[in-house]
Amino acid sequence: MDLKGCWALACCLFALAHVADAATVSPTSTVSVCDMTDGSGGTASCGNKGVISVTSATFGRAADSRCIAMFTRSTCAVMDVTSKARSLCDGKSSCNVTLSAFGLSSSTICSDVWNKELAVSYTCTGGASTVVGNSPTSPATATSCAGLPPALPLGWAWPSSCSGAAVGTVCKQTCPLGLLGSVSSNCTSSGAWSGATGACLSVACSSRPSSTPANAAGWPASCAPAAAGDVCTANCSTGFIGRVCTTCSKLGISSSCSSSGAWSSPQGSCSQVTCPGLPTQQPPANSIGWPATCAGLAAGQTCGTKCAEGYTGELQSTCSAAGSWSSVAGSCTQVTCAGTPTQEQPANSQPWPASCAGQAVGQVCATKCAEGFTGQLVSSCSTTGAWSPVEGVCQPAICPGLPTQEPPANSAAWLDTCAGMAIGQTCSTSCAEGYEGQLISSCSTAGEWSPVEGICQQATCPGLPTQEQPANSQPWPASCAGMAAGQACATKCAEGFSGMLTSGCYIGEGWSPVEGRCEQITCTGLPPPAANSAGFPGSCSGQPYQALCAAPCAPGFSGGVSSTCGEDGQWSEVEGACALVFCKAPPPPAPNALWPANCAGMGSSATCRSTCSEGFSGALSTTCTANGTWSAVEGSCTQITCAGVPTLTPIANTTGWPDACLQQPYGSVCVSRCAAGYVGTNLTSTCKADGTWSQPGGTCYLPFCPGMPPAKTPAYGTGWPANCTNLLANSACRQACAPGYSGSLVTRCFSNATWAPGFRGNCTRDTCQGLPAASTQNDTAGWPSSCSGAAVSDSCSAPCAAGWSGPGYKATCQAKNTWGAASGSCTRDRCSRMPTDATPTSAGWPPSCANITSGSSCRAPCDSPFGPGYSIQCSGKDSWAAPTGTCPEICSGPPTAEPPEDSRGWGASCANGNVVGFRCIAGCAPSFKGRYVSSCLGKNQWGEVAGSWEPLCKDVHRGCATCRSVRVPGSDNSTELQCSTCFAGWRLRRDGVGKTCDCSAGFMMNGTADADSSWCVPCPRGQYCPGGGADGNPDSRAFNCTPGLATISEGARSEQQCYTMPGYGRSITQNDDRGTVKIDVFICPIGTYNVGGNTVGCTKCGTGLTTTKTGATNSTACVAPPGSFADMGASAKTCPRGTYTPDFNSLPACLTCPAGITTVRDNSTSIGHSKLARKGYYLVNATAAEECPMGSYQGREAEVYKCDECPYGYQTRVEGAGGNAECMAPPGVELQEGAEWVSECGLGSYKEGWNKNPCRPCGNGLTTAAAGSVSAEQCLIPAGWGTGEVKVCPPGTYNAGYNRKPCQECGTGFTSIEAGGEDEDACVVQSGWAMDIHFGIPKPCDVGTYSTGGTTDTPNAECVPCPAGLTTQKDEADSEEDCDVCVAGHGGANCTACPYDTFSTGVHKRGDACMPCAPHTVSARGSRHNSECLPELVDSDNDYFPLSNDSAWDNHDGVDSALDCGMLCVSDSACVMYRYSTDVLLRKCQLLLEAPDGGQAIALKADSAGTGYAVYRVDANLKVGVRLSDEGSKTPEECMKACSGTNACELAALDAAALPGSAGPCVLYGSTLDSDWVGMYHVHGSKLFADMMQGSGS
C-alpha cells in the first residue's frame, strides 16, 4: 500500500474510532476477568452496575476466543483486553467492560450474541471474577457440558481439560504452528458447546517494526504477529499531531511451508503541537507580565511569570496537547509586613504605632524617641514581607551651646565643656574679678538650659580706710564706705598742704595701707624780681602758704612791691610799683673830666659818667639820688682800670660774674663759672687797655652723649636717627623697625653723659599666619603647612596635584597676616598622542583616544563579538599604561574554497566573524547525504574542506566539537547524532543525554543561551562560573559573589574562589551541631581595614588609630584622630600641651603652636585651642604671640594680650621675661626706700650687677666722678683726701687684701654670711635665690618655692617646694612662712587635698574650705575644678552586664521602680552597680556588691570621655560583662587608657594586686543590649582611680 492509500485507510478508521461494541460471554460460563486485557493501551474500570467496561485506544487482533468469528481482516479491529482488565478489576466488587475499536459497530460485531447477552451483569469477587448469568431469556438448565466441543479439522483437537467444563466455560485452542489466531467454544446454559468461533491466518510478520518513528509513541504490541496486508499504525507522542503507518508484506513460502514477511517503510510524520501567542492577551494583575519567550512554546511546556514587586506568588499556564493554553494557575498576593518592626520597644524610643502592623511593601513605620532623647527610628516593609533593620538612633538629649550666649553680668565666661552637656548635668561659672558668688544652670529633660541660678555680688570694703582722719588731710569721702573691690578711695590734703592720700579695696583683704602724704605748701625761692625795687629779702624763701613777702623800692624810686605765697607753692604776681625820681640839672663840674650834656634830666639811680681827660684812664660818675639830687662824684681819673663786670647781665648757664671783678686793673681776668649741672669751659674776660672788658670766652652747656649711640643697629632696624646725635643726658633715642618688622628699639643717654651699651625693645618679623586661599579647581596638592608663619615678602609654593602639570601656584606674604593673590597655573595632564600599542584582531584604537585626560581609559573593541577587547589608561602626561584585554583571532568571512557542487553552499553564519576552531558547514544538496566542513585555523585562515562523512555536530549543538551516531533506545535500527565532545570552554551536559554542550566551570555564555552567536568565554574577574547544567544553570551564566566578595582572577569556577574585596571582611559562624557554617560578609567598620583577596576579617588599626570612613582598604587609611598623632604609624599618641592636630592625620608628631603660645589642655584639635600665652609672651591675636619687650614680663600661661610693665622703672636683662623676679635694676641704678621710681646711684655710691640691691656708698671718704656708677672701681679719692678709712668688709662683700681696692660685691644673687670675707668663696647664694645648675648662676625662686639661702657648708642653695598643698604669693620667697596660699585641689586650715566630692580651683588663702560638688555628683580627692565632679550614677540604660556567676547579684524584693533600685544602690556604700528588670512579670532589683578582699579590680568608666574610672574589688573568678579583648600585662593606668581607646569598652578588669601602680593582666569588657533591664554604675568619690592614686596621706 502506498502512502496515499495508507492515509486514506487511516482517515476511514479514524471516523469509526468511536463505535462501541460489547464483548460478551455465555451467561453460564465462568470467565476470569483477569483474562480481559488490552495490551494496546486501552483502559478498563469498574462500574456501579456490575458490568465490565474496557476502552481501547488502538486497534489490532484479539488473542481471546470471544467473538473471534465476527473479526475479519477487513475490519482491522482485533482487541486484546486481558492484561489491562486484570490490572484494573482484580480485587474490585464489580467491573464494567466496554470495547471500542476502530472500524467496528454494533451491527457488524457479535450480532449473533449482542442482544442475547445485553442483560448479563458481571460481579467481580476477590482476585478473580465469576460471571453469574441472569439472562431473562435463557435461564440456565445445566451445570456443565459433557465431552469436548465439536471436532476441529485436520486432526487439530480441543484440550482434554474442556471435557465436563462448567456452564459458562470457554474452551480455547490456539492455531497450529505456522498459523496466527485461535478458536473457542462456550459451554452454554443448555449444557452444549457452542459452535467454534475464531480464525487461523497465515503469519507474515512475527514482530513489530524495528525502529520507532521520530516523535511517535512507539509501535503497539498488537502489531505482532501480523498477516500480510495488515497495517500497523503508531500514534504520535503527547504534544505531537499526525500518525505513522507501515504494512506487513509477504515475501514468500519456504520449503517448510512456513511464511515470512517484512514491514514497509513508515509513512507519515508527527509534528510538534505549539501554543501561539501568550497565555493571556493582557499581563495578569499584579504580575510582571508573560515573558516573550512563551510565545510558541511546545505542548507540555509551561509558561511562568513572577508577581510584581510587593506581591508574592507565581502564575503559570501549560500548553496542552491540543495547542491551547490552560487556565492560569496561581495568584499574586500583596506582600505585607506583619506586626511591628521589632517585638520589643526600641531602647530610648516611644512604642511603634499600632498602625504599622500590616503595612504594605515600601511603606515606612516610624517612631519618635522617648523624652530625654533625640532622633527618630524608621523601618521599611521589604519585598520579602519582613521589616528592614531599624535605622536611626535615639541619643541622649543634650543642651547645645552654653546656658547663655553672653556671660552673665559680673561673671566669668561659661566653660567650653558645658557645650553639649547631657540632661541632668550642671554647668557653673565663677564670678568676675571683683565679684563674689557662683552661677549655675542645669540641662533639663527638654534639652534646654534652666534659668541661671545664683548671683555675683560685688565685693566691697566696709567703713572707711582709717577710723581717724589722717593728719593734714581732708576727711575720707563718705562714698568710700562700702566701696567695691578694685576701686580706690582718695582724699585731698588740707588747705595749705599738698598731695593726696589713697587706699585700695581688695577682695578678702579689705582696705590697703594708706599711700601718699600731705606736705606743707611752701614757696621756694623768691618772688619774681620787680622793676625798680630793692629786691625781695632772702627770708621770703621757704615761707608757708599765704605768707606775704614785701620789697622796698630801689634808691631813686618811690613806692613798694609785694607777693603772696599761693596754694600751688608759687609766689603770686607782684603787686605795687616803684616810680622813678629825676635829676633835672647836670652834675657839678669835676676836675679832669667833662659831664655829658645828656646827664641833665636823668632819672633816679641813673649815673652820669664822664671820661677822663686824655692821659687818664678812668671815669667820673655821679648818680641821681632818690631825692632828685646828684650824689657825690665818684671815681677818679687815674691809671686805666676796668670798672664793673664784663657783662651787665649774667651769661646763661653760669654762676655769674663775681663781685671781685669790679674795678679790676688793666690785664685782670674775670671768671664766671658754669652753673651746677652744666659742663664745659668757664667764661673769662680780660680788662683791656681802654679800660673795658674783652668779649667773654668759653661756653657752658648741659651734658650730652657725644655722637651717635654706640649700640650696634640690628639687621631688622632702620638705624639710629640723626636727631639722636649729641643727645642730651637723661634722654632716650628711639629707632623704628625695618619694613616687614613690628616694634621699636630704644637706647638711652645716661645722666653721666654716657650712652647705654645696648638697647631695649624688639623688632618682630611680620608674618602671615595661616595658609593662602585654596585653589577652587582642586588642581594642587595644597599649600604646605610650613607656609603658615611665612615672613613678609617670603613666598609659598603649592605644587600641582597628581595628574596635573605646570609651575604650580605661588603666593607672597605682602603684609602682616595678608597673603597676596596666588599666581601660577596647573594644567590637567593629557595623552595628546594616540596609543601605539598593537591590538591584534581588533578595530584599533578609536580617534577619541587622542587628548584624553590622565586617569581616563580608552577601549579598542574586537573585530568580532567574541572577547572583551582592549583597554588602555592614560597614566600621566603623554604616558600610556600597558594595555589590558585580548581579542581572539577570527575568520572574518566564509571559507575561501568554493563549496562542493553537491552542497547547498556555506551557511550564512560563516561570514559573521568566527573564532578559531569554529566549523563552517555546507549542507548537502537534495538527493545527497551528509555535509562538508571547513574549520577556522587562524586569522582569516580556513582549513581544507572535509568530506561528507563528517557528522553534522554543529546541528547537534554549536558547542559540539565531535559527535557520533547512536541507536535510538527502544528501536532496532534507528539512529541519531549525539555529541561526544565539546569545544574548549564547553562540556557535555551531565544529565546523560549528551546532546547539549554547556559552558565548562570557569566559563560563561557571552550572550543568550539560544543565540547562535553566543560562545563560552572565561568567567570575568569578580564573578564565578560553576558551568552550565540542565537543572542548576541552563543558561551557563556567571554568578556574582556575595556582596563584599569577588574573585581575584578570570576563570573562577566556584563560590569558594570568592575572596574579600578591599575594604570588606568576613566572619564564619557554626550554625548547628553538624558543623555547617555561615559566612557573613560586612564592610570594614570604622577603625579597621582589609587589603582584600583573602578570607579573613577586618584588621583593627593600631591603638588609638581609626579610619575616617568605613571600607578602608589598607593600613595607610588608619589615621590618628584630631588631637593626637600617629606614632610610627603603629598607634595614636595624645598631643601634649602646646601642640595640636586639627584633623585626622598620619603625622609623626603634633603641630607645634606658634612661638609663645600653648594650649589649654592636652589633646587639642585646633590652633583655636591655643588660647594661652606662654610665660614671657603676650598674645597679638588668637594665633600669634610675641616676646615681652625689655622692661616687662608675663608670668602665667593665660589668655593675656599685654605684658606687665616692671614696677618702679625696673628693667629686664633680656626680652621674654617670665616673671616679676626678672624685673631688676640695672647696674648703677637703685630703688630708694619710699621712692616710686628707680634712680641712678648718687655721687659717692655705686651698684654692681642686675639686682634689687641698694647702691653701696664708696666709704672711706671715697666718691665717684658721676652718678650711676656701676663698680667699686669707680670710687675715687676726692681731691684733698687721703687713702680713706680702712674697715672690715661688710656682709655681701669680700676683699683678698694686699691691695688698694675696696671690698668687692659678691655678685647678683650672692651674699656673704658674715663680715670680713676674704675671697669669693665666702659668697653664698642669698635667700630667695637658688643656683641654676644649667647656667651656673643664681636665679630667683619662682612662685611655690622658697630658699633660706646658702650656708658655709652648702653655699649653693636650692628652691624648696612649699609643703604639700601650699604655694607662695610671690617669687623670691625666703622662708617657709611665705607659703601661705593653697594650691588648686587643696584647701582648709592645713591646705590638705580636697576631700572627695569637693574641689578647689586654688589661690585661696589657708583656711578657705574646698567647694562641694553639685548634688548627685562626686569627685576624687584633690579635684581642681567642678568639671572633675562626675555623676554619682552613670547612665547605662539597657546595657546588660552578664555575670559568670549570677548568684553574685544581691536580690531585693518589693522594689517598685528603677529609681528606687538606684537609690537603694546609692545608699549602700558597697554597691558597685544595680540592674532593674522592667518586665512587668519580673520586677526584680539586683545589686552587685563589692568584695573588700576580692582579688580582682574592675574599673568602670565614670564619664563619657573615659577619663575617670571608678575602681571596685570583686571576686577574682567573677566575670562582669562581655569579654572584648585581652590586653596582656599593663599597669592600671595603661589598662584604663586601653579601655578609653575602645568605644565598646565599658569596664576594665585587672589584678587587684596591681593597684595602684603595678603591672598585671588587663582584660576589657563591654555590655550587651537588653531592653528589659535598666542598669547604672554607682560611683563613690573614694573609689575613683585618681583618688586611689593619691593614697591616704594626700
Side-chain angles (χ1 to χ4, degrees):
M1 183 183 292
D2 61 8
L3 180 61
K4 185 180 295 184
C6 183
W7 277 113
L9 174 61
C11 293
C12 173
L13 296 176
F14 186 80
L16 299 174
H18 301 289
V19 177
D21 286 58
T24 62
V25 297
S26 172
T28 59
S29 63
T30 300
V31 64
S32 173
V33 178
C34 299
D35 293 332
M36 303 176 66
T37 61
D38 176 12
S40 59
T43 62
S45 62
C46 293
N48 295 332
K49 296 181 181 180
V51 178
I52 299 175
S53 175
V54 177
T55 302
S56 177
T58 60
F59 56 88
R61 185 174 296 279
D64 202 310
S65 60
R66 300 185 310 276
C67 301
I68 195 166
M70 69 175 183
F71 292 103
T72 64
R73 185 178 300 168
S74 63
T75 64
C76 295
V78 179
M79 205 37 82
D80 183 0
V81 295
T82 305
S83 61
K84 180 63 71 174
R86 178 185 293 117
S87 64
L88 295 176
C89 295
D90 281 0
K92 304 294 191 298
S93 60
S94 62
C95 291
N96 179 28
V97 179
T98 301
L99 181 62
S100 299
F102 295 114
L104 303 180
S105 68
S106 60
S107 60
T108 60
I109 302 176
C110 300
S111 59
D112 56 342
V113 296
W114 182 272
N115 293 329
K116 295 179 181 180
E117 305 298 330
L118 189 61
V120 176
S121 64
Y122 305 86
T123 301
C124 300
T125 60
S129 299
T130 301
V131 180
V132 180
N134 59 357
S135 173
T137 58
S138 301
T141 59
T143 60
S144 65
C145 292
L148 297 172
L152 296 174
L154 302 176
W156 181 28
W158 297 100
S160 59
S161 58
C162 291
S163 177
V167 172
T169 299
V170 176
C171 184
K172 184 177 181 182
Q173 179 64 284
T174 57
C175 293
L177 183 63
L179 299 177
L180 176 65
S182 64
V183 293
S184 62
S185 177
N186 295 331
C187 180
T188 65
S189 59
S190 63
W193 292 98
S194 67
T197 60
C200 289
L201 306 175
S202 299
V203 175
C205 297
S206 60
S207 64
R208 291 179 291 175
S210 60
S211 60
T212 301
N215 303 321
W219 302 109
S222 59
C223 288
D230 284 350
V231 175
C232 181
T233 301
N235 286 341
C236 294
S237 299
T238 303
F240 291 83
I241 190 171
R243 67 181 60 217
V244 181
C245 60
T246 180
T247 304
C248 179
S249 59
K250 188 175 181 181
L251 301 177
I253 303 296
S254 66
S255 59
S256 59
C257 294
S258 61
S259 63
S260 62
W263 295 100
S264 65
S265 297
Q267 301 295 319
S269 64
C270 292
S271 301
Q272 191 175 43
V273 176
T274 60
C275 290
L278 300 175
T280 58
Q281 291 185 353
Q282 297 298 326
N286 305 321
S287 73
I288 61 174
W290 302 108
T293 55
C294 288
L297 283 184
Q301 291 185 303
T302 299
C303 176
T305 183
K306 296 181 180 179
C307 293
E309 186 174 1
Y311 291 83
T312 182
E314 191 173 76
L315 305 178
Q316 62 181 18
S317 178
T318 303
C319 181
S320 68
S324 61
W325 290 104
S326 66
S327 299
V328 178
S331 62
C332 289
T333 306
Q334 189 173 36
V335 176
T336 60
C337 289
T340 55
T342 58
Q343 293 183 358
E344 303 296 335
Q345 179 178 340
N348 308 322
S349 75
Q350 299 181 14
W352 294 107
S355 58
C356 291
Q359 283 189 347
V361 172
Q363 291 185 307
V364 175
C365 178
T367 182
K368 297 180 179 178
C369 291
E371 184 178 1
F373 293 83
T374 60
Q376 184 182 32
L377 305 183
V378 295
S379 178
S380 302
C381 183
S382 67
T383 56
T384 63
W387 289 102
S388 67
V390 177
E391 297 181 1
V393 65
C394 287
Q395 296 178 333
I398 61 172
C399 289
L402 301 175
T404 57
Q405 291 185 353
E406 299 294 334
N410 308 322
S411 73
W414 296 107
L415 296 176
D416 292 342
T417 54
C418 292
M421 274 190 172
I423 289 175
Q425 289 186 304
T426 299
C427 177
S428 65
T429 184
S430 58
C431 294
E433 185 175 359
Y435 290 83
E436 299 176 324
Q438 186 182 33
L439 305 181
I440 60 173
S441 177
S442 300
C443 183
S444 68
T445 56
E448 297 177 350
W449 288 104
S450 66
V452 177
E453 298 179 2
I455 188 172
C456 288
Q457 296 180 333
Q458 195 169 40
T460 60
C461 289
L464 299 173
T466 59
Q467 293 184 355
E468 302 296 335
Q469 178 176 339
N472 303 322
S473 74
Q474 298 181 18
W476 295 106
S479 59
C480 291
M483 185 170 283
Q487 295 182 314
C489 178
T491 183
K492 296 180 179 179
C493 291
E495 186 176 8
F497 292 84
S498 65
M500 178 177 290
L501 304 183
T502 60
S503 178
C505 179
Y506 293 91
I507 297 177
E509 298 181 2
W511 292 105
S512 67
V514 177
E515 297 182 359
R517 57 185 177 181
C518 292
E519 297 179 342
Q520 190 175 39
I521 298 174
T522 59
C523 290
T524 59
L526 298 176
N532 306 319
S533 72
F536 291 102
S539 59
C540 288
S541 178
Q543 288 297 312
Y545 168 65
Q546 293 186 341
L548 181 68
C549 180
C553 289
F557 292 85
S558 62
V561 293
S562 65
S563 177
T564 303
C565 182
E567 62 180 359
D568 58 355
Q570 301 293 326
W571 290 103
S572 66
E573 292 184 1
V574 175
E575 298 179 355
C578 290
L580 182 66
V581 176
F582 293 96
C583 291
K584 298 180 180 179
N592 304 318
L594 292 175
W595 300 110
N598 60 358
C599 288
M602 282 188 174
S604 174
S605 299
T607 301
C608 178
R609 291 185 176 83
S610 173
T611 60
C612 291
S613 302
E614 186 174 356
F616 290 87
S617 65
L620 301 178
S621 66
T622 182
T623 303
C624 181
T625 64
N627 56 10
T629 62
W630 295 101
S631 65
V633 175
E634 297 181 357
S636 63
C637 289
T638 59
Q639 189 178 1
I640 295 174
T641 60
C642 289
V645 294
T647 59
L648 293 176
T649 59
I651 303 298
N653 306 329
T654 67
T655 58
W657 301 108
D659 292 341
C661 291
L662 295 173
Q663 300 297 326
Q664 288 295 315
Y666 169 76
S668 298
V669 176
C670 183
V671 177
S672 178
R673 299 186 180 279
C674 292
Y678 288 82
V679 295
T681 304
N682 292 332
L683 275 70
T684 59
S685 180
T686 303
C687 181
K688 297 187 296 182
D690 59 358
T692 61
W693 293 99
S694 65
Q695 181 67 31
T699 181
C700 293
Y701 54 87
L702 286 174
F704 64 89
C705 292
M708 295 292 286
K712 184 178 180 180
T713 301
Y716 45 75
T718 55
W720 302 112
N723 58 10
C724 290
T725 304
N726 299 333
L727 192 67
L728 293 178
N730 291 323
S731 299
C733 175
R734 189 174 301 274
Q735 177 182 162
C737 292
Y741 290 82
S742 297
S744 63
L745 306 175
V746 178
T747 190
R748 186 179 180 188
C749 178
F750 291 134
S751 60
N752 60 1
T754 59
W755 286 104
F759 59 87
R760 60 177 289 187
N762 188 33
C763 289
T764 304
R765 186 74 181 268
D766 291 339
T767 61
C768 287
Q769 297 297 325
L771 300 176
S775 171
T776 59
Q777 301 183 30
N778 297 321
D779 53 354
T780 72
W783 300 103
S785 58
S786 58
C787 290
S788 180
V792 172
S793 76
D794 285 353
S795 297
C796 175
S797 298
C800 294
W804 298 73
S805 298
Y809 290 88
K810 184 177 181 180
T812 302
C813 181
Q814 295 181 337
K816 189 172 184 178
N817 294 328
T818 303
W819 284 102
S823 61
S825 63
C826 290
T827 305
R828 188 64 182 267
D829 290 342
R830 294 178 177 271
C831 289
S832 59
R833 300 185 300 273
M834 291 286 290
T836 58
D837 298 89
T839 57
T841 65
S842 77
W845 302 113
S848 58
C849 289
N851 207 34
I852 68 172
T853 58
S854 176
S856 299
S857 296
C858 177
R859 185 175 180 274
C862 295
D863 289 334
S864 69
F866 309 104
Y870 296 89
S871 179
I872 192 168
Q873 185 183 51
C874 179
S875 58
K877 187 174 183 181
D878 290 331
S879 176
W880 291 98
T884 59
T886 183
C887 286
E889 291 186 341
I890 63 168
C891 293
S892 58
T896 54
E898 291 295 329
E901 294 180 357
D902 56 353
S903 71
R904 294 195 300 268
W906 299 116
S909 61
C910 297
N912 295 333
N914 296 284
V915 297
V916 173
F918 176 82
R919 297 186 177 191
C920 182
I921 299 172
C924 292
S927 303
F928 287 89
K929 180 181 180 180
R931 63 179 179 176
Y932 293 93
V933 176
S934 179
S935 299
C936 181
L937 303 178
K939 186 174 183 181
N940 296 326
Q941 294 180 2
W942 289 99
E944 295 181 1
V945 179
S948 61
W949 51 268
E950 185 174 350
L952 299 174
C953 298
K954 186 175 184 297
D955 291 344
V956 178
H957 192 274
R958 66 183 176 283
C960 184
T962 63
C963 55
R964 59 191 176 89
S965 179
V966 297
R967 179 179 175 273
V968 177
S971 67
D972 294 334
N973 300 312
S974 295
T975 61
E976 64 179 3
L977 287 177
Q978 288 189 352
C979 191
S980 301
T981 61
C982 299
F983 290 115
W986 299 76
R987 69 180 178 189
L988 284 173
R989 179 165 285 188
R990 300 301 184 187
D991 57 3
V993 176
K995 294 183 179 180
T996 301
C997 289
D998 297 305
C999 289
S1000 300
F1003 288 80
M1004 62 168 284
M1005 192 69 68
N1006 68 347
T1008 58
D1010 56 354
D1012 290 340
S1013 60
S1014 299
W1015 199 254
C1016 292
V1017 296
C1019 195
R1021 181 178 179 180
Q1023 296 178 299
Y1024 69 94
C1025 302
D1031 299 326
N1033 188 18
D1035 296 331
S1036 295
R1037 61 187 178 90
F1039 291 88
N1040 291 322
C1041 295
T1042 301
L1045 301 181
T1047 57
I1048 59 177
S1049 60
E1050 288 185 347
R1053 301 164 62 88
S1054 68
E1055 191 173 9
Q1056 280 67 37
Q1057 293 176 268
C1058 292
Y1059 299 101
T1060 53
M1061 295 174 62
Y1064 286 81
R1066 69 180 186 179
S1067 61
I1068 300 177
T1069 56
Q1070 184 167 330
N1071 287 339
D1072 51 37
D1073 295 337
R1074 295 191 302 273
T1076 58
V1077 296
K1078 176 185 178 184
I1079 298 178
D1080 293 319
V1081 182
F1082 52 90
I1083 191 167
C1084 287
I1086 293 291
T1088 64
Y1089 67 91
N1090 194 346
V1091 297
N1094 52 49
T1095 59
V1096 299
C1098 300
T1099 302
K1100 187 177 181 181
C1101 293
T1103 303
L1105 298 178
T1106 186
T1107 57
T1108 57
K1109 58 183 178 180
T1110 59
T1113 59
N1114 53 55
S1115 60
T1116 59
C1118 293
V1119 293
S1124 62
F1125 67 96
D1127 184 20
M1128 304 296 291
S1131 62
K1133 294 294 182 65
T1134 299
C1135 290
R1137 287 189 64 188
T1139 64
Y1140 69 97
T1141 52
D1143 205 346
F1144 292 94
N1145 65 86
S1146 300
L1147 298 174
C1150 297
L1151 301 176
T1152 303
C1153 294
I1157 293 182
T1158 187
T1159 55
V1160 178
R1161 61 178 187 273
D1162 294 343
N1163 200 34
S1164 291
T1165 60
S1166 168
I1167 194 173
H1169 293 170
S1170 304
K1171 296 181 178 180
L1172 307 183
R1174 294 183 185 270
K1175 289 184 179 181
Y1177 288 81
Y1178 67 95
L1179 296 177
V1180 178
N1181 52 47
T1183 59
E1186 293 182 357
E1187 282 188 308
C1188 292
M1190 291 175 58
S1192 64
Y1193 67 95
Q1194 203 283 104
R1196 300 174 295 157
E1197 288 190 349
E1199 187 176 358
V1200 294
Y1201 289 88
K1202 67 175 183 178
C1203 298
D1204 296 326
E1205 292 289 336
C1206 287
Y1208 310 116
Y1210 281 143
Q1211 295 293 319
T1212 57
R1213 282 186 283 186
V1214 293
E1215 295 176 339
N1220 183 40
E1222 297 183 52
C1223 292
M1224 294 177 283
V1229 177
E1230 69 172 349
L1231 178 66
Q1232 296 181 358
E1233 183 177 357
E1236 297 181 354
W1237 204 257
V1238 295
S1239 60
E1240 290 180 317
C1241 294
L1243 292 175
S1245 63
Y1246 66 93
K1247 186 175 77 68
E1248 296 179 340
W1250 285 79
N1251 49 52
K1252 296 179 182 178
N1253 299 332
C1255 296
R1256 290 182 174 274
C1258 290
N1260 297 331
L1262 300 179
T1263 188
T1264 57
S1269 295
V1270 299
S1271 170
E1273 299 292 336
Q1274 293 179 272
C1275 290
L1276 307 174
I1277 299 173
W1281 286 72
T1283 58
E1285 178 186 0
V1286 177
K1287 63 180 181 180
V1288 174
C1289 289
T1293 65
Y1294 66 92
N1295 195 335
Y1298 303 105
N1299 57 47
R1300 297 176 61 85
K1301 298 179 181 179
C1303 299
Q1304 303 295 306
E1305 293 283 348
C1306 283
T1308 302
F1310 287 101
T1311 187
S1312 58
I1313 297 176
E1314 55 188 15
E1318 295 182 355
D1319 51 36
E1320 193 173 7
D1321 293 339
C1323 296
V1324 299
V1325 175
Q1326 70 183 55
S1327 60
W1329 288 60
M1331 181 63 68
D1332 188 327
I1333 60 175
H1334 296 292
F1335 299 101
I1337 59 175
K1339 66 176 181 180
C1341 290
D1342 210 341
V1343 172
T1345 63
Y1346 68 93
S1347 168
T1348 57
T1351 65
T1352 303
D1353 296 332
T1354 309
N1356 295 331
E1358 295 182 353
C1359 294
V1360 180
C1362 289
L1366 294 173
T1367 185
T1368 62
Q1369 299 187 58
K1370 60 180 182 178
D1371 50 22
E1372 288 192 58
D1374 56 11
S1375 72
E1376 186 176 346
E1377 295 178 356
D1378 293 331
C1379 299
D1380 57 355
V1381 177
C1382 298
V1383 298
H1386 291 68
N1390 297 320
C1391 286
T1392 56
C1394 291
Y1396 58 82
D1397 305 344
T1398 66
F1399 69 94
S1400 169
T1401 56
V1403 197
H1404 292 284
K1405 286 189 175 181
R1406 185 189 305 210
D1408 292 344
C1410 298
M1411 299 179 66
C1413 288
H1416 303 297
T1417 60
V1418 297
S1419 67
R1421 284 179 293 172
S1423 294
R1424 297 173 296 177
H1425 196 270
N1426 66 348
S1427 62
E1428 298 179 41
C1429 295
L1430 307 175
E1432 187 176 22
L1433 288 176
V1434 178
D1435 187 9
S1436 56
D1437 283 358
N1438 303 334
D1439 283 356
Y1440 183 81
F1441 285 86
L1443 301 185
S1444 59
N1445 180 10
D1446 273 350
S1447 63
W1449 288 109
D1450 186 28
N1451 294 310
H1452 289 265
D1453 299 328
V1455 179
D1456 297 328
S1457 68
L1459 179 61
D1460 292 340
C1461 188
M1463 291 301 99
L1464 188 64
C1465 182
V1466 170
S1467 64
D1468 191 339
S1469 61
C1471 182
V1472 178
M1473 63 171 64
Y1474 78 89
R1475 68 177 189 179
Y1476 181 78
S1477 172
T1478 58
D1479 190 330
V1480 295
L1481 299 178
L1482 190 59
R1483 294 297 188 192
K1484 179 183 292 186
C1485 173
Q1486 295 179 319
L1487 308 183
L1488 177 61
L1489 302 181
E1490 184 177 21
D1493 298 328
Q1496 179 186 193
I1498 58 173
L1500 309 173
K1501 276 185 181 177
D1503 63 349
S1504 59
T1507 57
Y1509 283 85
V1511 184
Y1512 295 85
R1513 288 177 181 262
V1514 296
D1515 186 82
N1517 296 322
L1518 184 64
K1519 301 297 184 291
V1520 183
V1522 180
R1523 188 185 184 103
L1524 298 179
S1525 63
D1526 190 337
E1527 297 297 316
S1529 179
K1530 291 185 180 294
T1531 64
E1533 186 172 3
E1534 292 171 339
C1535 187
M1536 296 174 203
K1537 189 172 184 181
C1539 185
S1540 297
T1542 305
N1543 289 336
C1545 180
E1546 297 186 68
L1547 68 86
L1550 54 149
D1551 189 347
L1555 293 175
S1558 301
C1562 168
V1563 182
L1564 306 186
Y1565 289 89
S1567 64
T1568 185
L1569 189 66
D1570 191 330
S1571 59
D1572 288 339
W1573 291 90
V1574 174
M1576 301 183 83
Y1577 311 145
H1578 179 206
V1579 182
H1580 289 287
S1582 59
K1583 294 296 181 181
L1584 289 170
F1585 181 71
D1587 192 53
M1588 300 176 70
M1589 287 292 289
Q1590 294 181 25
S1592 60
S1594 59

